PDB file of all heavy atoms in Angstrom:
ATOM      1  N   THR A 125      -9.422  -0.706  -8.490  1.00  0.00           N
ATOM      2  CA  THR A 125      -9.453  -0.107  -7.159  1.00  0.00           C
ATOM      3  C   THR A 125      -8.028   0.332  -6.814  1.00  0.00           C
ATOM      4  O   THR A 125      -7.066  -0.068  -7.475  1.00  0.00           O
ATOM      5  CB  THR A 125      -9.929  -1.114  -6.107  1.00  0.00           C
ATOM      6  OG1 THR A 125      -8.949  -2.163  -6.013  1.00  0.00           O
ATOM      7  CG2 THR A 125     -11.295  -1.690  -6.456  1.00  0.00           C
ATOM      8  N   GLU A 126      -7.877   1.108  -5.764  1.00  0.00           N
ATOM      9  CA  GLU A 126      -6.538   1.525  -5.350  1.00  0.00           C
ATOM     10  C   GLU A 126      -5.690   0.313  -4.954  1.00  0.00           C
ATOM     11  O   GLU A 126      -4.500   0.248  -5.253  1.00  0.00           O
ATOM     12  CB  GLU A 126      -6.613   2.519  -4.199  1.00  0.00           C
ATOM     13  CG  GLU A 126      -5.257   3.108  -3.858  1.00  0.00           C
ATOM     14  CD  GLU A 126      -5.329   4.257  -2.883  1.00  0.00           C
ATOM     15  OE1 GLU A 126      -6.238   5.094  -2.986  1.00  0.00           O
ATOM     16  OE2 GLU A 126      -4.436   4.318  -2.015  1.00  0.00           O
ATOM     17  N   ALA A 127      -6.306  -0.680  -4.299  1.00  0.00           N
ATOM     18  CA  ALA A 127      -5.574  -1.899  -3.906  1.00  0.00           C
ATOM     19  C   ALA A 127      -5.097  -2.674  -5.138  1.00  0.00           C
ATOM     20  O   ALA A 127      -3.967  -3.177  -5.168  1.00  0.00           O
ATOM     21  CB  ALA A 127      -6.450  -2.777  -3.031  1.00  0.00           C
ATOM     22  N   GLU A 128      -5.933  -2.769  -6.165  1.00  0.00           N
ATOM     23  CA  GLU A 128      -5.531  -3.456  -7.399  1.00  0.00           C
ATOM     24  C   GLU A 128      -4.417  -2.687  -8.106  1.00  0.00           C
ATOM     25  O   GLU A 128      -3.476  -3.284  -8.628  1.00  0.00           O
ATOM     26  CB  GLU A 128      -6.737  -3.618  -8.331  1.00  0.00           C
ATOM     27  CG  GLU A 128      -7.767  -4.591  -7.804  1.00  0.00           C
ATOM     28  CD  GLU A 128      -9.080  -4.528  -8.566  1.00  0.00           C
ATOM     29  OE1 GLU A 128      -9.434  -3.437  -9.095  1.00  0.00           O
ATOM     30  OE2 GLU A 128      -9.758  -5.553  -8.632  1.00  0.00           O
ATOM     31  N   TRP A 129      -4.523  -1.369  -8.118  1.00  0.00           N
ATOM     32  CA  TRP A 129      -3.511  -0.521  -8.731  1.00  0.00           C
ATOM     33  C   TRP A 129      -2.170  -0.710  -8.008  1.00  0.00           C
ATOM     34  O   TRP A 129      -1.130  -0.836  -8.622  1.00  0.00           O
ATOM     35  CB  TRP A 129      -3.974   0.921  -8.685  1.00  0.00           C
ATOM     36  CG  TRP A 129      -3.058   1.999  -9.175  1.00  0.00           C
ATOM     37  CD1 TRP A 129      -2.845   3.193  -8.565  1.00  0.00           C
ATOM     38  CD2 TRP A 129      -2.269   2.031 -10.368  1.00  0.00           C
ATOM     39  NE1 TRP A 129      -1.957   3.949  -9.302  1.00  0.00           N
ATOM     40  CE2 TRP A 129      -1.589   3.250 -10.413  1.00  0.00           C
ATOM     41  CE3 TRP A 129      -2.053   1.130 -11.402  1.00  0.00           C
ATOM     42  CZ2 TRP A 129      -0.713   3.600 -11.433  1.00  0.00           C
ATOM     43  CZ3 TRP A 129      -1.186   1.476 -12.424  1.00  0.00           C
ATOM     44  CH2 TRP A 129      -0.534   2.699 -12.435  1.00  0.00           C
ATOM     45  N   GLN A 130      -2.227  -0.768  -6.667  1.00  0.00           N
ATOM     46  CA  GLN A 130      -1.007  -0.973  -5.888  1.00  0.00           C
ATOM     47  C   GLN A 130      -0.372  -2.325  -6.218  1.00  0.00           C
ATOM     48  O   GLN A 130       0.854  -2.419  -6.349  1.00  0.00           O
ATOM     49  CB  GLN A 130      -1.290  -0.887  -4.394  1.00  0.00           C
ATOM     50  CG  GLN A 130      -0.037  -1.064  -3.568  1.00  0.00           C
ATOM     51  CD  GLN A 130      -0.236  -0.726  -2.125  1.00  0.00           C
ATOM     52  OE1 GLN A 130      -1.009   0.161  -1.784  1.00  0.00           O
ATOM     53  NE2 GLN A 130       0.470  -1.417  -1.257  1.00  0.00           N
ATOM     54  N   THR A 131      -1.175  -3.361  -6.393  1.00  0.00           N
ATOM     55  CA  THR A 131      -0.651  -4.677  -6.772  1.00  0.00           C
ATOM     56  C   THR A 131       0.073  -4.602  -8.106  1.00  0.00           C
ATOM     57  O   THR A 131       1.148  -5.195  -8.278  1.00  0.00           O
ATOM     58  CB  THR A 131      -1.791  -5.716  -6.826  1.00  0.00           C
ATOM     59  OG1 THR A 131      -2.374  -5.817  -5.523  1.00  0.00           O
ATOM     60  CG2 THR A 131      -1.296  -7.078  -7.260  1.00  0.00           C
ATOM     61  N   GLU A 132      -0.487  -3.879  -9.070  1.00  0.00           N
ATOM     62  CA  GLU A 132       0.157  -3.706 -10.375  1.00  0.00           C
ATOM     63  C   GLU A 132       1.503  -2.989 -10.229  1.00  0.00           C
ATOM     64  O   GLU A 132       2.503  -3.389 -10.821  1.00  0.00           O
ATOM     65  CB  GLU A 132      -0.749  -2.920 -11.330  1.00  0.00           C
ATOM     66  CG  GLU A 132      -2.042  -3.616 -11.685  1.00  0.00           C
ATOM     67  CD  GLU A 132      -1.852  -4.815 -12.587  1.00  0.00           C
ATOM     68  OE1 GLU A 132      -0.848  -4.881 -13.315  1.00  0.00           O
ATOM     69  OE2 GLU A 132      -2.720  -5.700 -12.565  1.00  0.00           O
ATOM     70  N   VAL A 133       1.530  -1.921  -9.430  1.00  0.00           N
ATOM     71  CA  VAL A 133       2.763  -1.163  -9.221  1.00  0.00           C
ATOM     72  C   VAL A 133       3.808  -2.046  -8.535  1.00  0.00           C
ATOM     73  O   VAL A 133       4.972  -2.068  -8.929  1.00  0.00           O
ATOM     74  CB  VAL A 133       2.489   0.117  -8.403  1.00  0.00           C
ATOM     75  CG1 VAL A 133       3.780   0.787  -7.967  1.00  0.00           C
ATOM     76  CG2 VAL A 133       1.626   1.089  -9.205  1.00  0.00           C
ATOM     77  N   GLU A 134       3.389  -2.806  -7.511  1.00  0.00           N
ATOM     78  CA  GLU A 134       4.325  -3.691  -6.807  1.00  0.00           C
ATOM     79  C   GLU A 134       4.888  -4.767  -7.738  1.00  0.00           C
ATOM     80  O   GLU A 134       6.064  -5.131  -7.634  1.00  0.00           O
ATOM     81  CB  GLU A 134       3.650  -4.328  -5.604  1.00  0.00           C
ATOM     82  CG  GLU A 134       3.406  -3.328  -4.482  1.00  0.00           C
ATOM     83  CD  GLU A 134       2.609  -3.912  -3.328  1.00  0.00           C
ATOM     84  OE1 GLU A 134       2.101  -5.051  -3.442  1.00  0.00           O
ATOM     85  OE2 GLU A 134       2.486  -3.215  -2.298  1.00  0.00           O
ATOM     86  N   THR A 135       4.079  -5.252  -8.661  1.00  0.00           N
ATOM     87  CA  THR A 135       4.564  -6.228  -9.639  1.00  0.00           C
ATOM     88  C   THR A 135       5.674  -5.620 -10.489  1.00  0.00           C
ATOM     89  O   THR A 135       6.716  -6.240 -10.716  1.00  0.00           O
ATOM     90  CB  THR A 135       3.408  -6.728 -10.527  1.00  0.00           C
ATOM     91  OG1 THR A 135       2.444  -7.383  -9.696  1.00  0.00           O
ATOM     92  CG2 THR A 135       3.896  -7.685 -11.598  1.00  0.00           C
ATOM     93  N   LEU A 136       5.460  -4.397 -10.960  1.00  0.00           N
ATOM     94  CA  LEU A 136       6.486  -3.718 -11.756  1.00  0.00           C
ATOM     95  C   LEU A 136       7.745  -3.450 -10.930  1.00  0.00           C
ATOM     96  O   LEU A 136       8.870  -3.616 -11.418  1.00  0.00           O
ATOM     97  CB  LEU A 136       5.947  -2.412 -12.324  1.00  0.00           C
ATOM     98  CG  LEU A 136       4.971  -2.563 -13.484  1.00  0.00           C
ATOM     99  CD1 LEU A 136       4.336  -1.223 -13.825  1.00  0.00           C
ATOM    100  CD2 LEU A 136       5.663  -3.158 -14.695  1.00  0.00           C
ATOM    101  N   LEU A 137       7.578  -3.039  -9.683  1.00  0.00           N
ATOM    102  CA  LEU A 137       8.733  -2.820  -8.818  1.00  0.00           C
ATOM    103  C   LEU A 137       9.561  -4.105  -8.690  1.00  0.00           C
ATOM    104  O   LEU A 137      10.785  -4.082  -8.802  1.00  0.00           O
ATOM    105  CB  LEU A 137       8.285  -2.338  -7.436  1.00  0.00           C
ATOM    106  CG  LEU A 137       7.728  -0.917  -7.357  1.00  0.00           C
ATOM    107  CD1 LEU A 137       7.066  -0.688  -6.007  1.00  0.00           C
ATOM    108  CD2 LEU A 137       8.819   0.116  -7.608  1.00  0.00           C
ATOM    109  N   ARG A 138       8.875  -5.207  -8.468  1.00  0.00           N
ATOM    110  CA  ARG A 138       9.548  -6.504  -8.320  1.00  0.00           C
ATOM    111  C   ARG A 138      10.301  -6.868  -9.602  1.00  0.00           C
ATOM    112  O   ARG A 138      11.462  -7.278  -9.561  1.00  0.00           O
ATOM    113  CB  ARG A 138       8.518  -7.577  -7.970  1.00  0.00           C
ATOM    114  CG  ARG A 138       9.102  -8.913  -7.584  1.00  0.00           C
ATOM    115  CD  ARG A 138       8.037  -9.917  -7.151  1.00  0.00           C
ATOM    116  NE  ARG A 138       7.316  -9.469  -5.953  1.00  0.00           N
ATOM    117  CZ  ARG A 138       6.047  -9.045  -5.948  1.00  0.00           C
ATOM    118  NH1 ARG A 138       5.331  -9.019  -7.053  1.00  0.00           N
ATOM    119  NH2 ARG A 138       5.472  -8.659  -4.827  1.00  0.00           N
ATOM    120  N   ILE A 139       9.658  -6.704 -10.753  1.00  0.00           N
ATOM    121  CA  ILE A 139      10.266  -7.031 -12.047  1.00  0.00           C
ATOM    122  C   ILE A 139      11.556  -6.234 -12.255  1.00  0.00           C
ATOM    123  O   ILE A 139      12.550  -6.762 -12.741  1.00  0.00           O
ATOM    124  CB  ILE A 139       9.276  -6.769 -13.203  1.00  0.00           C
ATOM    125  CG1 ILE A 139       8.173  -7.836 -13.196  1.00  0.00           C
ATOM    126  CG2 ILE A 139       9.991  -6.740 -14.553  1.00  0.00           C
ATOM    127  CD1 ILE A 139       7.002  -7.527 -14.120  1.00  0.00           C
ATOM    128  N   TYR A 140      11.543  -4.949 -11.863  1.00  0.00           N
ATOM    129  CA  TYR A 140      12.690  -4.081 -12.106  1.00  0.00           C
ATOM    130  C   TYR A 140      13.672  -4.019 -10.936  1.00  0.00           C
ATOM    131  O   TYR A 140      14.564  -3.174 -10.915  1.00  0.00           O
ATOM    132  CB  TYR A 140      12.215  -2.681 -12.506  1.00  0.00           C
ATOM    133  CG  TYR A 140      11.637  -2.688 -13.899  1.00  0.00           C
ATOM    134  CD1 TYR A 140      10.270  -2.717 -14.104  1.00  0.00           C
ATOM    135  CD2 TYR A 140      12.472  -2.712 -15.010  1.00  0.00           C
ATOM    136  CE1 TYR A 140       9.739  -2.747 -15.390  1.00  0.00           C
ATOM    137  CE2 TYR A 140      11.942  -2.750 -16.299  1.00  0.00           C
ATOM    138  CZ  TYR A 140      10.579  -2.766 -16.470  1.00  0.00           C
ATOM    139  OH  TYR A 140      10.064  -2.804 -17.740  1.00  0.00           O
ATOM    140  N   GLY A 141      13.529  -4.920  -9.974  1.00  0.00           N
ATOM    141  CA  GLY A 141      14.522  -5.048  -8.914  1.00  0.00           C
ATOM    142  C   GLY A 141      14.416  -4.065  -7.762  1.00  0.00           C
ATOM    143  O   GLY A 141      15.384  -3.852  -7.038  1.00  0.00           O
ATOM    144  N   TRP A 142      13.246  -3.485  -7.575  1.00  0.00           N
ATOM    145  CA  TRP A 142      13.045  -2.541  -6.481  1.00  0.00           C
ATOM    146  C   TRP A 142      12.500  -3.269  -5.253  1.00  0.00           C
ATOM    147  O   TRP A 142      11.805  -4.275  -5.362  1.00  0.00           O
ATOM    148  CB  TRP A 142      12.052  -1.454  -6.882  1.00  0.00           C
ATOM    149  CG  TRP A 142      12.609  -0.465  -7.849  1.00  0.00           C
ATOM    150  CD1 TRP A 142      12.799  -0.655  -9.188  1.00  0.00           C
ATOM    151  CD2 TRP A 142      13.058   0.839  -7.559  1.00  0.00           C
ATOM    152  NE1 TRP A 142      13.337   0.468  -9.750  1.00  0.00           N
ATOM    153  CE2 TRP A 142      13.510   1.409  -8.780  1.00  0.00           C
ATOM    154  CE3 TRP A 142      13.121   1.602  -6.398  1.00  0.00           C
ATOM    155  CZ2 TRP A 142      14.002   2.702  -8.855  1.00  0.00           C
ATOM    156  CZ3 TRP A 142      13.615   2.888  -6.485  1.00  0.00           C
ATOM    157  CH2 TRP A 142      14.059   3.429  -7.696  1.00  0.00           C
ATOM    158  N   GLU A 143      12.791  -2.726  -4.081  1.00  0.00           N
ATOM    159  CA  GLU A 143      12.180  -3.159  -2.828  1.00  0.00           C
ATOM    160  C   GLU A 143      11.310  -2.012  -2.336  1.00  0.00           C
ATOM    161  O   GLU A 143      11.488  -0.868  -2.767  1.00  0.00           O
ATOM    162  CB  GLU A 143      13.265  -3.481  -1.799  1.00  0.00           C
ATOM    163  CG  GLU A 143      14.186  -4.608  -2.240  1.00  0.00           C
ATOM    164  CD  GLU A 143      15.315  -4.813  -1.265  1.00  0.00           C
ATOM    165  OE1 GLU A 143      15.060  -5.315  -0.157  1.00  0.00           O
ATOM    166  OE2 GLU A 143      16.455  -4.438  -1.616  1.00  0.00           O
ATOM    167  N   TRP A 144      10.377  -2.298  -1.419  1.00  0.00           N
ATOM    168  CA  TRP A 144       9.498  -1.229  -0.972  1.00  0.00           C
ATOM    169  C   TRP A 144       8.962  -1.505   0.423  1.00  0.00           C
ATOM    170  O   TRP A 144       8.965  -2.620   0.914  1.00  0.00           O
ATOM    171  CB  TRP A 144       8.331  -1.027  -1.942  1.00  0.00           C
ATOM    172  CG  TRP A 144       7.425  -2.208  -2.056  1.00  0.00           C
ATOM    173  CD1 TRP A 144       6.290  -2.461  -1.330  1.00  0.00           C
ATOM    174  CD2 TRP A 144       7.577  -3.319  -2.926  1.00  0.00           C
ATOM    175  NE1 TRP A 144       5.732  -3.650  -1.714  1.00  0.00           N
ATOM    176  CE2 TRP A 144       6.509  -4.201  -2.689  1.00  0.00           C
ATOM    177  CE3 TRP A 144       8.522  -3.662  -3.891  1.00  0.00           C
ATOM    178  CZ2 TRP A 144       6.356  -5.393  -3.374  1.00  0.00           C
ATOM    179  CZ3 TRP A 144       8.368  -4.854  -4.566  1.00  0.00           C
ATOM    180  CH2 TRP A 144       7.291  -5.697  -4.313  1.00  0.00           C
ATOM    181  N   LEU A 145       8.505  -0.414   1.022  1.00  0.00           N
ATOM    182  CA  LEU A 145       7.830  -0.445   2.316  1.00  0.00           C
ATOM    183  C   LEU A 145       6.433   0.101   2.106  1.00  0.00           C
ATOM    184  O   LEU A 145       6.261   1.161   1.494  1.00  0.00           O
ATOM    185  CB  LEU A 145       8.581   0.445   3.324  1.00  0.00           C
ATOM    186  CG  LEU A 145       7.833   0.751   4.618  1.00  0.00           C
ATOM    187  CD1 LEU A 145       7.731  -0.510   5.483  1.00  0.00           C
ATOM    188  CD2 LEU A 145       8.520   1.868   5.377  1.00  0.00           C
ATOM    189  N   HIS A 146       5.459  -0.641   2.592  1.00  0.00           N
ATOM    190  CA  HIS A 146       4.069  -0.168   2.568  1.00  0.00           C
ATOM    191  C   HIS A 146       3.585  -0.135   4.006  1.00  0.00           C
ATOM    192  O   HIS A 146       3.518  -1.163   4.664  1.00  0.00           O
ATOM    193  CB  HIS A 146       3.186  -1.102   1.733  1.00  0.00           C
ATOM    194  CG  HIS A 146       1.725  -0.795   1.846  1.00  0.00           C
ATOM    195  ND1 HIS A 146       1.190   0.396   1.402  1.00  0.00           N
ATOM    196  CD2 HIS A 146       0.702  -1.502   2.355  1.00  0.00           C
ATOM    197  CE1 HIS A 146      -0.123   0.386   1.642  1.00  0.00           C
ATOM    198  NE2 HIS A 146      -0.427  -0.750   2.217  1.00  0.00           N
ATOM    199  N   VAL A 147       3.296   1.071   4.508  1.00  0.00           N
ATOM    200  CA  VAL A 147       2.769   1.219   5.866  1.00  0.00           C
ATOM    201  C   VAL A 147       1.264   1.047   5.781  1.00  0.00           C
ATOM    202  O   VAL A 147       0.569   1.843   5.151  1.00  0.00           O
ATOM    203  CB  VAL A 147       3.135   2.599   6.468  1.00  0.00           C
ATOM    204  CG1 VAL A 147       2.565   2.735   7.868  1.00  0.00           C
ATOM    205  CG2 VAL A 147       4.644   2.779   6.478  1.00  0.00           C
ATOM    206  N   ARG A 148       0.786  -0.019   6.376  1.00  0.00           N
ATOM    207  CA  ARG A 148      -0.640  -0.340   6.289  1.00  0.00           C
ATOM    208  C   ARG A 148      -1.472   0.518   7.237  1.00  0.00           C
ATOM    209  O   ARG A 148      -1.008   0.937   8.277  1.00  0.00           O
ATOM    210  CB  ARG A 148      -0.856  -1.808   6.602  1.00  0.00           C
ATOM    211  CG  ARG A 148      -0.100  -2.698   5.651  1.00  0.00           C
ATOM    212  CD  ARG A 148      -0.482  -4.156   5.834  1.00  0.00           C
ATOM    213  NE  ARG A 148       0.379  -5.024   5.060  1.00  0.00           N
ATOM    214  CZ  ARG A 148       0.325  -5.195   3.756  1.00  0.00           C
ATOM    215  NH1 ARG A 148      -0.567  -4.539   3.064  1.00  0.00           N
ATOM    216  NH2 ARG A 148       1.145  -6.014   3.133  1.00  0.00           N
ATOM    217  N   LYS A 149      -2.715   0.727   6.845  1.00  0.00           N
ATOM    218  CA  LYS A 149      -3.633   1.476   7.695  1.00  0.00           C
ATOM    219  C   LYS A 149      -4.148   0.570   8.806  1.00  0.00           C
ATOM    220  O   LYS A 149      -4.271  -0.630   8.633  1.00  0.00           O
ATOM    221  CB  LYS A 149      -4.796   2.023   6.872  1.00  0.00           C
ATOM    222  CG  LYS A 149      -4.349   3.054   5.868  1.00  0.00           C
ATOM    223  CD  LYS A 149      -5.519   3.709   5.200  1.00  0.00           C
ATOM    224  CE  LYS A 149      -5.025   4.640   4.135  1.00  0.00           C
ATOM    225  NZ  LYS A 149      -4.997   5.988   4.459  1.00  0.00           N
ATOM    226  N   SER A 150      -4.437   1.182   9.941  1.00  0.00           N
ATOM    227  CA  SER A 150      -5.000   0.440  11.062  1.00  0.00           C
ATOM    228  C   SER A 150      -6.059   1.314  11.718  1.00  0.00           C
ATOM    229  O   SER A 150      -6.112   2.524  11.504  1.00  0.00           O
ATOM    230  CB  SER A 150      -3.910   0.057  12.059  1.00  0.00           C
ATOM    231  OG  SER A 150      -3.324   1.215  12.597  1.00  0.00           O
ATOM    232  N   LEU A 151      -6.894   0.693  12.521  1.00  0.00           N
ATOM    233  CA  LEU A 151      -7.923   1.448  13.228  1.00  0.00           C
ATOM    234  C   LEU A 151      -7.302   2.162  14.408  1.00  0.00           C
ATOM    235  O   LEU A 151      -6.521   1.576  15.166  1.00  0.00           O
ATOM    236  CB  LEU A 151      -9.046   0.527  13.704  1.00  0.00           C
ATOM    237  CG  LEU A 151     -10.026   0.079  12.630  1.00  0.00           C
ATOM    238  CD1 LEU A 151     -11.025  -0.919  13.197  1.00  0.00           C
ATOM    239  CD2 LEU A 151     -10.765   1.261  12.038  1.00  0.00           C
ATOM    240  N   GLY A 152      -7.635   3.414  14.563  1.00  0.00           N
ATOM    241  CA  GLY A 152      -7.138   4.212  15.673  1.00  0.00           C
ATOM    242  C   GLY A 152      -8.203   5.224  16.067  1.00  0.00           C
ATOM    243  O   GLY A 152      -9.350   5.134  15.639  1.00  0.00           O
ATOM    244  N   LYS A 153      -7.823   6.164  16.869  1.00  0.00           N
ATOM    245  CA  LYS A 153      -8.753   7.208  17.318  1.00  0.00           C
ATOM    246  C   LYS A 153      -8.347   8.550  16.731  1.00  0.00           C
ATOM    247  O   LYS A 153      -7.172   8.908  16.710  1.00  0.00           O
ATOM    248  CB  LYS A 153      -8.740   7.310  18.840  1.00  0.00           C
ATOM    249  CG  LYS A 153      -9.261   6.084  19.549  1.00  0.00           C
ATOM    250  CD  LYS A 153     -10.759   6.030  19.473  1.00  0.00           C
ATOM    251  CE  LYS A 153     -11.268   4.854  20.307  1.00  0.00           C
ATOM    252  NZ  LYS A 153     -12.688   4.693  20.203  1.00  0.00           N
ATOM    253  N   ARG A 154      -9.315   9.254  16.206  1.00  0.00           N
ATOM    254  CA  ARG A 154      -9.092  10.609  15.693  1.00  0.00           C
ATOM    255  C   ARG A 154     -10.262  11.456  16.155  1.00  0.00           C
ATOM    256  O   ARG A 154     -11.407  11.191  15.789  1.00  0.00           O
ATOM    257  CB  ARG A 154      -8.991  10.608  14.180  1.00  0.00           C
ATOM    258  CG  ARG A 154      -8.603  11.964  13.621  1.00  0.00           C
ATOM    259  CD  ARG A 154      -8.474  11.992  12.105  1.00  0.00           C
ATOM    260  NE  ARG A 154      -7.616  10.928  11.610  1.00  0.00           N
ATOM    261  CZ  ARG A 154      -7.918  10.155  10.570  1.00  0.00           C
ATOM    262  NH1 ARG A 154      -9.038  10.331   9.925  1.00  0.00           N
ATOM    263  NH2 ARG A 154      -7.090   9.212  10.175  1.00  0.00           N
ATOM    264  N   GLY A 155      -9.979  12.446  16.987  1.00  0.00           N
ATOM    265  CA  GLY A 155     -11.050  13.295  17.512  1.00  0.00           C
ATOM    266  C   GLY A 155     -12.047  12.523  18.355  1.00  0.00           C
ATOM    267  O   GLY A 155     -13.231  12.833  18.362  1.00  0.00           O
ATOM    268  N   GLY A 156     -11.577  11.482  19.029  1.00  0.00           N
ATOM    269  CA  GLY A 156     -12.440  10.676  19.890  1.00  0.00           C
ATOM    270  C   GLY A 156     -13.228   9.604  19.162  1.00  0.00           C
ATOM    271  O   GLY A 156     -13.898   8.790  19.781  1.00  0.00           O
ATOM    272  N   ALA A 157     -13.157   9.571  17.840  1.00  0.00           N
ATOM    273  CA  ALA A 157     -13.895   8.579  17.052  1.00  0.00           C
ATOM    274  C   ALA A 157     -12.917   7.578  16.434  1.00  0.00           C
ATOM    275  O   ALA A 157     -11.769   7.898  16.159  1.00  0.00           O
ATOM    276  CB  ALA A 157     -14.697   9.268  15.952  1.00  0.00           C
ATOM    277  N   THR A 158     -13.396   6.362  16.210  1.00  0.00           N
ATOM    278  CA  THR A 158     -12.591   5.352  15.542  1.00  0.00           C
ATOM    279  C   THR A 158     -12.455   5.722  14.070  1.00  0.00           C
ATOM    280  O   THR A 158     -13.429   6.083  13.414  1.00  0.00           O
ATOM    281  CB  THR A 158     -13.249   3.965  15.669  1.00  0.00           C
ATOM    282  OG1 THR A 158     -13.372   3.664  17.058  1.00  0.00           O
ATOM    283  CG2 THR A 158     -12.430   2.890  15.007  1.00  0.00           C
ATOM    284  N   ALA A 159     -11.220   5.650  13.565  1.00  0.00           N
ATOM    285  CA  ALA A 159     -10.963   6.040  12.176  1.00  0.00           C
ATOM    286  C   ALA A 159      -9.772   5.272  11.637  1.00  0.00           C
ATOM    287  O   ALA A 159      -8.901   4.846  12.398  1.00  0.00           O
ATOM    288  CB  ALA A 159     -10.695   7.541  12.089  1.00  0.00           C
ATOM    289  N   TRP A 160      -9.728   5.088  10.311  1.00  0.00           N
ATOM    290  CA  TRP A 160      -8.565   4.482   9.682  1.00  0.00           C
ATOM    291  C   TRP A 160      -7.439   5.494   9.661  1.00  0.00           C
ATOM    292  O   TRP A 160      -7.646   6.655   9.348  1.00  0.00           O
ATOM    293  CB  TRP A 160      -8.877   4.052   8.245  1.00  0.00           C
ATOM    294  CG  TRP A 160      -9.737   2.851   8.166  1.00  0.00           C
ATOM    295  CD1 TRP A 160     -11.064   2.815   7.848  1.00  0.00           C
ATOM    296  CD2 TRP A 160      -9.352   1.498   8.417  1.00  0.00           C
ATOM    297  NE1 TRP A 160     -11.526   1.530   7.896  1.00  0.00           N
ATOM    298  CE2 TRP A 160     -10.495   0.692   8.226  1.00  0.00           C
ATOM    299  CE3 TRP A 160      -8.157   0.882   8.785  1.00  0.00           C
ATOM    300  CZ2 TRP A 160     -10.471  -0.688   8.397  1.00  0.00           C
ATOM    301  CZ3 TRP A 160      -8.134  -0.498   8.945  1.00  0.00           C
ATOM    302  CH2 TRP A 160      -9.273  -1.261   8.751  1.00  0.00           C
ATOM    303  N   GLN A 161      -6.235   5.045   9.997  1.00  0.00           N
ATOM    304  CA  GLN A 161      -5.081   5.929   9.952  1.00  0.00           C
ATOM    305  C   GLN A 161      -3.825   5.133   9.644  1.00  0.00           C
ATOM    306  O   GLN A 161      -3.756   3.942   9.902  1.00  0.00           O
ATOM    307  CB  GLN A 161      -4.924   6.697  11.258  1.00  0.00           C
ATOM    308  CG  GLN A 161      -4.764   5.805  12.475  1.00  0.00           C
ATOM    309  CD  GLN A 161      -4.836   6.600  13.767  1.00  0.00           C
ATOM    310  OE1 GLN A 161      -5.506   7.619  13.826  1.00  0.00           O
ATOM    311  NE2 GLN A 161      -4.155   6.144  14.779  1.00  0.00           N
TER     312      GLN A 161
END
């Protein structure tokens, strides 16, 4: 899944000394409807 793939990438980043920011999705409004953003 995309979440599993991200975990793999984050593991490699950690191994090679990288830091990162991941902006998480949250529920919001888009066009008057609730949507992930």
Side-chain angles (χ1 to χ4, degrees):
T125 65
E126 187 170 320
E128 291 168 330
W129 176 223
Q130 181 169 327
T131 299
E132 296 289 335
V133 170
E134 289 174 352
T135 298
L136 286 171
L137 289 168
R138 189 176 298 109
I139 288 169
Y140 288 100
W142 287 77
E143 299 175 71
W144 63 92
L145 167 70
H146 171 64
V147 179
R148 301 189 188 285
K149 294 188 185 259
S150 62
L151 283 175
K153 295 284 185 184
R154 187 179 309 134
T158 301
W160 287 105
Q161 59 189 30

